[in-house]
């Protein structure tokens, strides 16, 4: 398997997914680098039964949550106050930077699996079928979960202006 080709093909997808998780460009860059480093070390273990992009997203997600747990355990530092927003153009609300920032803020307060399904669909551009595979569920479950997450975000935006 040509890892250089995988890197070139999926770098942007992993970066956008990482940005959705971290809501911080610098942290997203670090997470993306760490993801590809871990993927390179484990590429021989990838059996090809799943989509490689989904595999990379799983590595990024697990790395993010592991780092977050470690930071919470060993750091008393305050979270970033000024988190940059992402203009991804995938949803009409993400075009406006202020709305994008509010969406990212709310996204970090959402419960799982809504947060992750929304991120995978919106920022990772995964199909409902691939999202369902990641969770061991049906595409219908992924579709319903995504729409519920989207509804939560829309309701939040209506309340907050």
């Amino acid at each position: 398997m040509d890892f250089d080709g995988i890197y070139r093909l999926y770098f942007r997808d992993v970066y956008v997914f990482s940005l959705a998780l971290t809501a911080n460009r610098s942290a997203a860059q670090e997470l993306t680098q760490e993801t590809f480093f871990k993927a390179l070390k484990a590429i021989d273990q990838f059996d090809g039964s799943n989509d490689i992009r989904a595999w990379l997203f799983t590595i990024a997600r697990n790395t993010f949550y592991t780092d977050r747990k470690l930071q919470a355990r060993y750091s008393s530092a305050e979270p970033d106050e000024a988190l940059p927003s992402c203009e991804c153009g995938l949803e009409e609300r993400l075009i406006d930077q202020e709305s994008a920032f509010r969406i990212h803020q709310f996204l970090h307060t959402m419960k799982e699996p809504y947060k992750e399904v929304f991120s995978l669909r919106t920022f990772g551009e995964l199909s409902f079928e691939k999202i369902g595979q990641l969770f061991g569920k049906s595409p219908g479950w992924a579709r319903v979960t995504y729409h519920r997450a989207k509804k939560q975000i829309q309701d939040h935006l209506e309340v907050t202006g």
Side-chain angles (χ1 to χ4, degrees), residues 8-74:
R8 276 186 262 122
L9 189 59
Y10 295 109
F11 175 83
R12 184 181 182 284
D13 293 338
V14 173
Y15 173 75
V16 170
F17 178 73
S18 297
L19 187 59
L21 288 173
T22 64
N24 180 296
R25 290 186 176 131
S26 177
Q29 289 171 348
E30 289 180 31
L31 180 57
T32 302
Q33 290 172 0
E34 183 71 17
T35 298
F36 279 102
F37 177 71
K38 287 182 177 182
L40 178 61
K41 287 179 16 182
I43 194 69
D44 293 334
Q45 297 171 4
F46 180 70
D47 62 5
S49 63
N50 291 326
D51 179 33
I52 194 153
R53 185 168 66 166
W55 181 65
L56 291 168
F57 287 165
T58 301
I59 294 171
R61 181 192 69 223
N62 292 342
T63 301
F64 172 74
Y65 287 125
T66 300
D67 290 349
R68 216 166 124 187
K69 286 177 187 173
L70 289 173
Q71 285 177 356
R73 187 177 302 159
Y74 296 110

